[in-house]
Amino acid sequence: MKTLLNIIWLVLSGFWLAIGYAVAGIICCILIVTIPFGIASFRMANYVLWPFGRVVVDNPQAGAWSTIGNIIWLIVAGWWLALGHLATGIAMCVTIIGIPLGIASFKMIPVSLLPMGKLIVSSDQRYPGYQHA
């Protein structure tokens, strides 16, 4: 079921949202100072292409720099990407078949607003936030 939802998601909205994240990542990587934002944006582009079967968890090693980065990201790019997820989610929820896709888009809004200090892991793991040493 995850594969089917991912294929439908990719065709209907995932590709276009991933392009938005990739463009934001390229713009961020042009300047040396904003490379961490570019890396976070590329990580989100990968997640938005194939979201079903993966979850976003907090990175236990994230510190104060990720909080500062999230504030800057929110002001510069986060709210634009969140609006894209909101519009996509509303458009998906118009049909009954699209409701799970709309819900997935709504679930991506928090991480599009504050991506720093997050990890994307498989939801098949017993404890998604746990990292083996």
Side-chain angles (χ1 to χ4, degrees):
M1 188 58 136
K2 288 185 263 186
T3 305
L4 179 63
L5 285 172
N6 277 322
I7 291 170
I8 295 170
W9 171 268
L10 180 66
V11 171
L12 295 179
S13 66
F15 180 73
W16 300 109
L17 289 170
I19 287 175
Y21 279 105
V23 167
I26 290 168
I27 291 170
C28 289
C29 285
I30 290 173
L31 301 171
I32 302 298
V33 177
T34 56
I35 287 177
F37 300 114
I39 293 169
S41 186
F42 291 136
R43 188 174 55 239
M44 284 302 301
N46 181 22
Y47 175 59
V48 81
L49 275 175
W50 207 256
F52 294 96
R54 299 194 291 175
V55 294
V56 178
V57 295
D58 290 330
N59 185 351
Q61 299 171 343
W65 288 111
S66 66
T67 303
I68 294 167
N70 277 331
I71 292 169
I72 295 168
W73 176 267
L74 177 67
I75 295 168
V76 175
W79 68 279
W80 284 104
L81 295 168
L83 284 175
H85 283 293
L86 182 65
T88 302
I90 291 170
M92 293 287 188
C93 286
V94 170
T95 65
I96 292 174
I97 294 172
I99 290 174
L101 304 173
I103 292 171
S105 186
F106 294 143
K107 286 182 180 180
M108 290 181 198
I109 290 174
V111 75
S112 70
L113 287 171
L114 307 169
M116 309 300 268
K118 304 288 184 191
L119 296 172
I120 299 167
V121 296
S122 172
S123 61
D124 294 334
Q125 291 178 345
R126 184 176 172 105
Y127 301 104
Y130 180 73
Q131 300 293 322
H132 296 285

PDB file of all heavy atoms in Angstrom, residues 97-124:
ATOM      1  N   ILE A  97     -10.248   9.887  -2.801  1.00  0.00           N
ATOM      2  CA  ILE A  97      -9.007   9.140  -3.007  1.00  0.00           C
ATOM      3  C   ILE A  97      -7.793   9.968  -2.577  1.00  0.00           C
ATOM      4  O   ILE A  97      -6.806   9.429  -2.091  1.00  0.00           O
ATOM      5  CB  ILE A  97      -8.880   8.725  -4.486  1.00  0.00           C
ATOM      6  CG1 ILE A  97      -9.986   7.736  -4.832  1.00  0.00           C
ATOM      7  CG2 ILE A  97      -7.518   8.134  -4.781  1.00  0.00           C
ATOM      8  CD1 ILE A  97     -10.087   7.393  -6.289  1.00  0.00           C
ATOM      9  N   GLY A  98      -7.875  11.268  -2.701  1.00  0.00           N
ATOM     10  CA  GLY A  98      -6.748  12.121  -2.379  1.00  0.00           C
ATOM     11  C   GLY A  98      -6.618  12.488  -0.919  1.00  0.00           C
ATOM     12  O   GLY A  98      -5.626  13.111  -0.532  1.00  0.00           O
ATOM     13  N   ILE A  99      -7.576  12.113  -0.089  1.00  0.00           N
ATOM     14  CA  ILE A  99      -7.521  12.502   1.328  1.00  0.00           C
ATOM     15  C   ILE A  99      -6.256  11.996   2.024  1.00  0.00           C
ATOM     16  O   ILE A  99      -5.614  12.769   2.747  1.00  0.00           O
ATOM     17  CB  ILE A  99      -8.811  12.077   2.059  1.00  0.00           C
ATOM     18  CG1 ILE A  99      -9.972  12.954   1.570  1.00  0.00           C
ATOM     19  CG2 ILE A  99      -8.650  12.192   3.574  1.00  0.00           C
ATOM     20  CD1 ILE A  99     -11.327  12.556   2.112  1.00  0.00           C
ATOM     21  N   PRO A 100      -5.830  10.724   1.853  1.00  0.00           N
ATOM     22  CA  PRO A 100      -4.576  10.315   2.501  1.00  0.00           C
ATOM     23  C   PRO A 100      -3.371  11.126   2.017  1.00  0.00           C
ATOM     24  O   PRO A 100      -2.456  11.416   2.792  1.00  0.00           O
ATOM     25  CB  PRO A 100      -4.417   8.845   2.113  1.00  0.00           C
ATOM     26  CG  PRO A 100      -5.756   8.393   1.694  1.00  0.00           C
ATOM     27  CD  PRO A 100      -6.475   9.599   1.191  1.00  0.00           C
ATOM     28  N   LEU A 101      -3.386  11.524   0.752  1.00  0.00           N
ATOM     29  CA  LEU A 101      -2.297  12.333   0.227  1.00  0.00           C
ATOM     30  C   LEU A 101      -2.334  13.745   0.810  1.00  0.00           C
ATOM     31  O   LEU A 101      -1.289  14.335   1.110  1.00  0.00           O
ATOM     32  CB  LEU A 101      -2.371  12.387  -1.293  1.00  0.00           C
ATOM     33  CG  LEU A 101      -2.373  11.031  -2.019  1.00  0.00           C
ATOM     34  CD1 LEU A 101      -2.614  11.232  -3.498  1.00  0.00           C
ATOM     35  CD2 LEU A 101      -1.104  10.286  -1.768  1.00  0.00           C
ATOM     36  N   GLY A 102      -3.534  14.285   0.974  1.00  0.00           N
ATOM     37  CA  GLY A 102      -3.671  15.601   1.593  1.00  0.00           C
ATOM     38  C   GLY A 102      -3.196  15.591   3.036  1.00  0.00           C
ATOM     39  O   GLY A 102      -2.517  16.517   3.487  1.00  0.00           O
ATOM     40  N   ILE A 103      -3.544  14.543   3.763  1.00  0.00           N
ATOM     41  CA  ILE A 103      -3.093  14.423   5.155  1.00  0.00           C
ATOM     42  C   ILE A 103      -1.577  14.336   5.215  1.00  0.00           C
ATOM     43  O   ILE A 103      -0.940  14.947   6.079  1.00  0.00           O
ATOM     44  CB  ILE A 103      -3.772  13.213   5.817  1.00  0.00           C
ATOM     45  CG1 ILE A 103      -5.275  13.481   5.982  1.00  0.00           C
ATOM     46  CG2 ILE A 103      -3.134  12.898   7.168  1.00  0.00           C
ATOM     47  CD1 ILE A 103      -6.085  12.277   6.414  1.00  0.00           C
ATOM     48  N   ALA A 104      -0.977  13.589   4.289  1.00  0.00           N
ATOM     49  CA  ALA A 104       0.490  13.499   4.241  1.00  0.00           C
ATOM     50  C   ALA A 104       1.101  14.870   3.973  1.00  0.00           C
ATOM     51  O   ALA A 104       2.126  15.220   4.563  1.00  0.00           O
ATOM     52  CB  ALA A 104       0.922  12.503   3.173  1.00  0.00           C
ATOM     53  N   SER A 105       0.482  15.645   3.104  1.00  0.00           N
ATOM     54  CA  SER A 105       0.991  16.982   2.820  1.00  0.00           C
ATOM     55  C   SER A 105       0.881  17.883   4.050  1.00  0.00           C
ATOM     56  O   SER A 105       1.793  18.655   4.341  1.00  0.00           O
ATOM     57  CB  SER A 105       0.241  17.594   1.634  1.00  0.00           C
ATOM     58  OG  SER A 105       0.819  18.821   1.269  1.00  0.00           O
ATOM     59  N   PHE A 106      -0.230  17.763   4.769  1.00  0.00           N
ATOM     60  CA  PHE A 106      -0.389  18.554   5.999  1.00  0.00           C
ATOM     61  C   PHE A 106       0.644  18.154   7.054  1.00  0.00           C
ATOM     62  O   PHE A 106       1.122  18.993   7.809  1.00  0.00           O
ATOM     63  CB  PHE A 106      -1.793  18.400   6.572  1.00  0.00           C
ATOM     64  CG  PHE A 106      -2.880  18.974   5.701  1.00  0.00           C
ATOM     65  CD1 PHE A 106      -4.109  18.344   5.606  1.00  0.00           C
ATOM     66  CD2 PHE A 106      -2.691  20.128   4.968  1.00  0.00           C
ATOM     67  CE1 PHE A 106      -5.121  18.856   4.809  1.00  0.00           C
ATOM     68  CE2 PHE A 106      -3.684  20.659   4.162  1.00  0.00           C
ATOM     69  CZ  PHE A 106      -4.905  20.011   4.083  1.00  0.00           C
ATOM     70  N   LYS A 107       1.001  16.875   7.104  1.00  0.00           N
ATOM     71  CA  LYS A 107       1.994  16.406   8.077  1.00  0.00           C
ATOM     72  C   LYS A 107       3.394  16.924   7.762  1.00  0.00           C
ATOM     73  O   LYS A 107       4.254  16.937   8.630  1.00  0.00           O
ATOM     74  CB  LYS A 107       2.024  14.879   8.116  1.00  0.00           C
ATOM     75  CG  LYS A 107       0.839  14.277   8.818  1.00  0.00           C
ATOM     76  CD  LYS A 107       0.947  12.769   8.859  1.00  0.00           C
ATOM     77  CE  LYS A 107      -0.249  12.163   9.557  1.00  0.00           C
ATOM     78  NZ  LYS A 107      -0.160  10.681   9.594  1.00  0.00           N
ATOM     79  N   MET A 108       3.620  17.354   6.536  1.00  0.00           N
ATOM     80  CA  MET A 108       4.932  17.882   6.163  1.00  0.00           C
ATOM     81  C   MET A 108       5.087  19.366   6.483  1.00  0.00           C
ATOM     82  O   MET A 108       6.192  19.900   6.399  1.00  0.00           O
ATOM     83  CB  MET A 108       5.178  17.649   4.669  1.00  0.00           C
ATOM     84  CG  MET A 108       5.389  16.214   4.323  1.00  0.00           C
ATOM     85  SD  MET A 108       5.701  16.052   2.566  1.00  0.00           S
ATOM     86  CE  MET A 108       5.377  14.324   2.361  1.00  0.00           C
ATOM     87  N   ILE A 109       4.019  20.029   6.843  1.00  0.00           N
ATOM     88  CA  ILE A 109       4.092  21.466   7.127  1.00  0.00           C
ATOM     89  C   ILE A 109       5.041  21.771   8.288  1.00  0.00           C
ATOM     90  O   ILE A 109       5.893  22.655   8.158  1.00  0.00           O
ATOM     91  CB  ILE A 109       2.688  22.063   7.353  1.00  0.00           C
ATOM     92  CG1 ILE A 109       1.923  22.074   6.030  1.00  0.00           C
ATOM     93  CG2 ILE A 109       2.778  23.472   7.926  1.00  0.00           C
ATOM     94  CD1 ILE A 109       0.478  22.513   6.143  1.00  0.00           C
ATOM     95  N   PRO A 110       4.958  21.072   9.435  1.00  0.00           N
ATOM     96  CA  PRO A 110       5.885  21.425  10.522  1.00  0.00           C
ATOM     97  C   PRO A 110       7.360  21.273  10.160  1.00  0.00           C
ATOM     98  O   PRO A 110       8.179  22.117  10.502  1.00  0.00           O
ATOM     99  CB  PRO A 110       5.505  20.454  11.648  1.00  0.00           C
ATOM    100  CG  PRO A 110       4.114  20.050  11.357  1.00  0.00           C
ATOM    101  CD  PRO A 110       3.987  20.072   9.865  1.00  0.00           C
ATOM    102  N   VAL A 111       7.704  20.211   9.434  1.00  0.00           N
ATOM    103  CA  VAL A 111       9.106  20.016   9.088  1.00  0.00           C
ATOM    104  C   VAL A 111       9.539  20.963   7.964  1.00  0.00           C
ATOM    105  O   VAL A 111      10.710  21.298   7.864  1.00  0.00           O
ATOM    106  CB  VAL A 111       9.396  18.539   8.750  1.00  0.00           C
ATOM    107  CG1 VAL A 111       8.868  18.164   7.393  1.00  0.00           C
ATOM    108  CG2 VAL A 111      10.872  18.256   8.853  1.00  0.00           C
ATOM    109  N   SER A 112       8.604  21.428   7.141  1.00  0.00           N
ATOM    110  CA  SER A 112       8.985  22.424   6.137  1.00  0.00           C
ATOM    111  C   SER A 112       9.218  23.780   6.788  1.00  0.00           C
ATOM    112  O   SER A 112      10.002  24.580   6.289  1.00  0.00           O
ATOM    113  CB  SER A 112       7.926  22.529   5.046  1.00  0.00           C
ATOM    114  OG  SER A 112       6.748  23.118   5.530  1.00  0.00           O
ATOM    115  N   LEU A 113       8.567  24.028   7.892  1.00  0.00           N
ATOM    116  CA  LEU A 113       8.782  25.275   8.626  1.00  0.00           C
ATOM    117  C   LEU A 113      10.082  25.242   9.426  1.00  0.00           C
ATOM    118  O   LEU A 113      10.791  26.244   9.499  1.00  0.00           O
ATOM    119  CB  LEU A 113       7.604  25.550   9.567  1.00  0.00           C
ATOM    120  CG  LEU A 113       6.308  26.005   8.916  1.00  0.00           C
ATOM    121  CD1 LEU A 113       5.193  26.022   9.940  1.00  0.00           C
ATOM    122  CD2 LEU A 113       6.471  27.356   8.272  1.00  0.00           C
ATOM    123  N   LEU A 114      10.378  24.108  10.059  1.00  0.00           N
ATOM    124  CA  LEU A 114      11.531  23.992  10.955  1.00  0.00           C
ATOM    125  C   LEU A 114      12.305  22.705  10.654  1.00  0.00           C
ATOM    126  O   LEU A 114      12.217  21.731  11.411  1.00  0.00           O
ATOM    127  CB  LEU A 114      11.069  24.001  12.416  1.00  0.00           C
ATOM    128  CG  LEU A 114      10.164  25.161  12.834  1.00  0.00           C
ATOM    129  CD1 LEU A 114       9.563  24.917  14.190  1.00  0.00           C
ATOM    130  CD2 LEU A 114      10.938  26.467  12.804  1.00  0.00           C
ATOM    131  N   PRO A 115      13.108  22.657   9.576  1.00  0.00           N
ATOM    132  CA  PRO A 115      13.750  21.402   9.176  1.00  0.00           C
ATOM    133  C   PRO A 115      15.058  21.071   9.891  1.00  0.00           C
ATOM    134  O   PRO A 115      15.492  19.925   9.865  1.00  0.00           O
ATOM    135  CB  PRO A 115      14.008  21.610   7.684  1.00  0.00           C
ATOM    136  CG  PRO A 115      14.251  23.069   7.576  1.00  0.00           C
ATOM    137  CD  PRO A 115      13.318  23.694   8.583  1.00  0.00           C
ATOM    138  N   MET A 116      15.688  22.051  10.486  1.00  0.00           N
ATOM    139  CA  MET A 116      16.989  21.806  11.109  1.00  0.00           C
ATOM    140  C   MET A 116      16.808  20.982  12.380  1.00  0.00           C
ATOM    141  O   MET A 116      15.867  21.183  13.143  1.00  0.00           O
ATOM    142  CB  MET A 116      17.680  23.128  11.438  1.00  0.00           C
ATOM    143  CG  MET A 116      17.743  24.092  10.277  1.00  0.00           C
ATOM    144  SD  MET A 116      18.616  23.475   8.870  1.00  0.00           S
ATOM    145  CE  MET A 116      20.224  24.065   9.216  1.00  0.00           C
ATOM    146  N   GLY A 117      17.698  20.049  12.610  1.00  0.00           N
ATOM    147  CA  GLY A 117      17.625  19.204  13.800  1.00  0.00           C
ATOM    148  C   GLY A 117      16.635  18.063  13.660  1.00  0.00           C
ATOM    149  O   GLY A 117      16.159  17.523  14.655  1.00  0.00           O
ATOM    150  N   LYS A 118      16.310  17.686  12.440  1.00  0.00           N
ATOM    151  CA  LYS A 118      15.380  16.588  12.182  1.00  0.00           C
ATOM    152  C   LYS A 118      16.082  15.475  11.422  1.00  0.00           C
ATOM    153  O   LYS A 118      17.029  15.717  10.677  1.00  0.00           O
ATOM    154  CB  LYS A 118      14.176  17.057  11.358  1.00  0.00           C
ATOM    155  CG  LYS A 118      13.417  18.214  11.952  1.00  0.00           C
ATOM    156  CD  LYS A 118      12.650  17.790  13.157  1.00  0.00           C
ATOM    157  CE  LYS A 118      11.819  18.974  13.650  1.00  0.00           C
ATOM    158  NZ  LYS A 118      11.252  18.738  14.934  1.00  0.00           N
ATOM    159  N   LEU A 119      15.615  14.249  11.622  1.00  0.00           N
ATOM    160  CA  LEU A 119      16.088  13.088  10.890  1.00  0.00           C
ATOM    161  C   LEU A 119      14.915  12.447  10.181  1.00  0.00           C
ATOM    162  O   LEU A 119      13.803  12.419  10.714  1.00  0.00           O
ATOM    163  CB  LEU A 119      16.714  12.061  11.841  1.00  0.00           C
ATOM    164  CG  LEU A 119      17.961  12.468  12.609  1.00  0.00           C
ATOM    165  CD1 LEU A 119      18.321  11.402  13.635  1.00  0.00           C
ATOM    166  CD2 LEU A 119      19.120  12.670  11.650  1.00  0.00           C
ATOM    167  N   ILE A 120      15.150  11.913   8.999  1.00  0.00           N
ATOM    168  CA  ILE A 120      14.122  11.186   8.258  1.00  0.00           C
ATOM    169  C   ILE A 120      14.518   9.719   8.298  1.00  0.00           C
ATOM    170  O   ILE A 120      15.585   9.341   7.807  1.00  0.00           O
ATOM    171  CB  ILE A 120      14.011  11.696   6.818  1.00  0.00           C
ATOM    172  CG1 ILE A 120      13.616  13.165   6.835  1.00  0.00           C
ATOM    173  CG2 ILE A 120      13.005  10.869   6.040  1.00  0.00           C
ATOM    174  CD1 ILE A 120      13.762  13.861   5.509  1.00  0.00           C
ATOM    175  N   VAL A 121      13.674   8.898   8.917  1.00  0.00           N
ATOM    176  CA  VAL A 121      13.979   7.482   9.099  1.00  0.00           C
ATOM    177  C   VAL A 121      12.814   6.641   8.594  1.00  0.00           C
ATOM    178  O   VAL A 121      11.696   7.135   8.423  1.00  0.00           O
ATOM    179  CB  VAL A 121      14.273   7.155  10.582  1.00  0.00           C
ATOM    180  CG1 VAL A 121      15.512   7.881  11.062  1.00  0.00           C
ATOM    181  CG2 VAL A 121      13.096   7.476  11.457  1.00  0.00           C
ATOM    182  N   SER A 122      13.076   5.367   8.393  1.00  0.00           N
ATOM    183  CA  SER A 122      12.047   4.436   7.956  1.00  0.00           C
ATOM    184  C   SER A 122      11.044   4.222   9.075  1.00  0.00           C
ATOM    185  O   SER A 122      11.415   4.063  10.240  1.00  0.00           O
ATOM    186  CB  SER A 122      12.676   3.107   7.562  1.00  0.00           C
ATOM    187  OG  SER A 122      11.684   2.146   7.304  1.00  0.00           O
ATOM    188  N   SER A 123       9.771   4.209   8.744  1.00  0.00           N
ATOM    189  CA  SER A 123       8.753   3.974   9.775  1.00  0.00           C
ATOM    190  C   SER A 123       8.669   2.502  10.147  1.00  0.00           C
ATOM    191  O   SER A 123       7.969   2.146  11.094  1.00  0.00           O
ATOM    192  CB  SER A 123       7.384   4.474   9.300  1.00  0.00           C
ATOM    193  OG  SER A 123       6.994   3.783   8.137  1.00  0.00           O
ATOM    194  N   ASP A 124       9.386   1.644   9.437  1.00  0.00           N
ATOM    195  CA  ASP A 124       9.397   0.224   9.759  1.00  0.00           C
ATOM    196  C   ASP A 124      10.303  -0.097  10.939  1.00  0.00           C
ATOM    197  O   ASP A 124      10.246  -1.193  11.472  1.00  0.00           O
ATOM    198  CB  ASP A 124       9.847  -0.597   8.545  1.00  0.00           C
ATOM    199  CG  ASP A 124       8.847  -0.513   7.410  1.00  0.00           C
ATOM    200  OD1 ASP A 124       7.650  -0.273   7.696  1.00  0.00           O
ATOM    201  OD2 ASP A 124       9.247  -0.679   6.253  1.00  0.00           O
TER     202      ASP A 124
END
